[in-house]
Amino acid sequence: AEQTVTMTPATTAAQQHQTKVALTGKIIAGTPISRKQPPQHSQQKHVTVTGANRGIGLGVAESCLDNDAALVYSIDYAEPGEEFAAAQKRWPGKLKAIQADVTKESTVTAAVDRIVEESGALHGMVVNAGRTNHKAALDFTEEEIHALFNINVRIPIRFLH
């Protein structure tokens, strides 16, 4: 009897991510995007992503670069690590990091001012920074709840003003 062997890919369909999206004719933050002409310097998009030195934030930053952002800044409290350095090698000169504490408005304002001074403009911001503690909800202290609420809810709302 003949046997059929089915080869499975190293990754499943769910694990394979496509981050390139078509932006032609779409509106991003009130600005129409057109692919008819190559972007001029004034049309190149500069974006900042909070908490983008690693993890989901870095993934968002990479997606921005995949979608032709000219420059992406990470605003994060931590120093960039190996994951960030590897991404910088993939996009030389297009991914930068500024250290700032997003819970302190003055450090974020200083970081944004620096970005505008260095790059000439800031066209978009993704407020990604957040925190979690992996334990049962009833085990959180009141201080932990306030700290998590501050970084995950209050700070992102402040960025909207």
Side-chain angles (χ1 to χ4, degrees), residues 57-81:
L58 183 56
V60 171
E62 291 174 311
S63 182
C64 290
L65 291 164
D66 282 342
N67 287 282
D68 301 323
L71 190 57
V72 176
Y73 282 86
S74 170
I75 298 177
D76 204 319
Y77 72 94
E79 289 288 329

Side-chain angles (χ1 to χ4, degrees), residues 21-37:
V21 295
L23 297 177
T24 305
K26 302 272 191 310
I27 306 263
I28 306 285
T31 305
I33 305 290
S34 173
R35 295 281 186 216
K36 293 181 183 173
Q37 299 175 344

Side-chain angles (χ1 to χ4, degrees), residues 47-52 73-78 97-117 122 124-131 150-151 154-161:
V47 179
T48 187
V49 181
T50 64
Y73 282 86
S74 170
I75 298 177
D76 204 319
Y77 72 94
I98 295 178
Q99 194 168 4
D101 182 350
V102 297
T103 65
K104 296 184 175 124
E105 189 171 352
S106 62
T107 65
V108 174
T109 300
V112 169
D113 288 346
R114 179 175 158 195
I115 291 167
V116 172
E117 185 178 313
L122 179 59
M125 176 178 262
V126 178
V127 181
N128 166 76
R131 194 175 297 150
N150 187 44
I151 189 73
R154 195 177 73 69
I155 301 300
I157 290 171
R158 187 172 61 197
F159 277 104
L160 298 173
H161 293 107

